[in-house]
Amino acid sequence: FASHEASWSAKSLPIEFVDLFGEPTEEDLEIMTQVMIQDVHRLSNMDIVDKWGLDWIRYILNFNEQVEEYELCAVFKEVIDNHYEV
């Protein structure tokens, strides 16, 4: 895990979160991933971006890339790509 942490600890992480709660743990990111996937299944892409923000979506995508959850990465990348097509 420690070797992955530096890779997904991107500057894109909202500073407000770090100020309030510190760096998210791997468990935090796994939970956020599951919540975001639930949102993908029930919300439109615009609603997902409005709720999470592109910074968080990219951060979660990078985390999932590092832990080799490539199917989830494809879902999150599609959300980002669809946002820019609108």
Side-chain angles (χ1 to χ4, degrees), residues 7 18 20 23 26 37-38 44 46 55 72 76 83-84:
S7 299
V18 175
L20 292 172
E23 288 282 330
E26 183 172 15
I37 285 295
Q38 290 172 356
S44 71
M46 282 299 262
D55 289 345
L72 297 175
F76 299 140
H83 173 74
Y84 287 113

Side-chain angles (χ1 to χ4, degrees), residues 15 30 40 45 53 70 85-86:
I15 193 70
E30 289 169 355
V40 166
N45 278 347
Y70 300 118
E85 288 178 4
V86 172

Side-chain angles (χ1 to χ4, degrees), residues 1 5 8 17 21-32 59 63:
F1 166 67
E5 186 172 357
W8 47 261
F17 184 91
F21 306 107
E23 288 282 330
T25 65
E26 183 172 15
E27 182 181 10
D28 293 335
L29 293 170
E30 289 169 355
I31 292 167
M32 289 178 183
Y59 192 84
F63 165 73

Side-chain angles (χ1 to χ4, degrees), residues 8-18 24 29 32 36 48-64 76 79-80 83-84:
W8 47 261
S9 286
K11 291 182 180 179
S12 65
L13 179 65
I15 193 70
E16 296 86 5
F17 184 91
V18 175
L29 293 170
M32 289 178 183
M36 193 179 293
I48 295 165
V49 173
D50 286 345
K51 178 178 179 179
W52 289 89
L54 289 173
D55 289 345
W56 273 113
I57 297 169
R58 286 187 189 107
Y59 192 84
I60 298 294
L61 185 151
N62 290 336
F63 165 73
N64 280 281
F76 299 140
V79 169
I80 293 168
H83 173 74
Y84 287 113

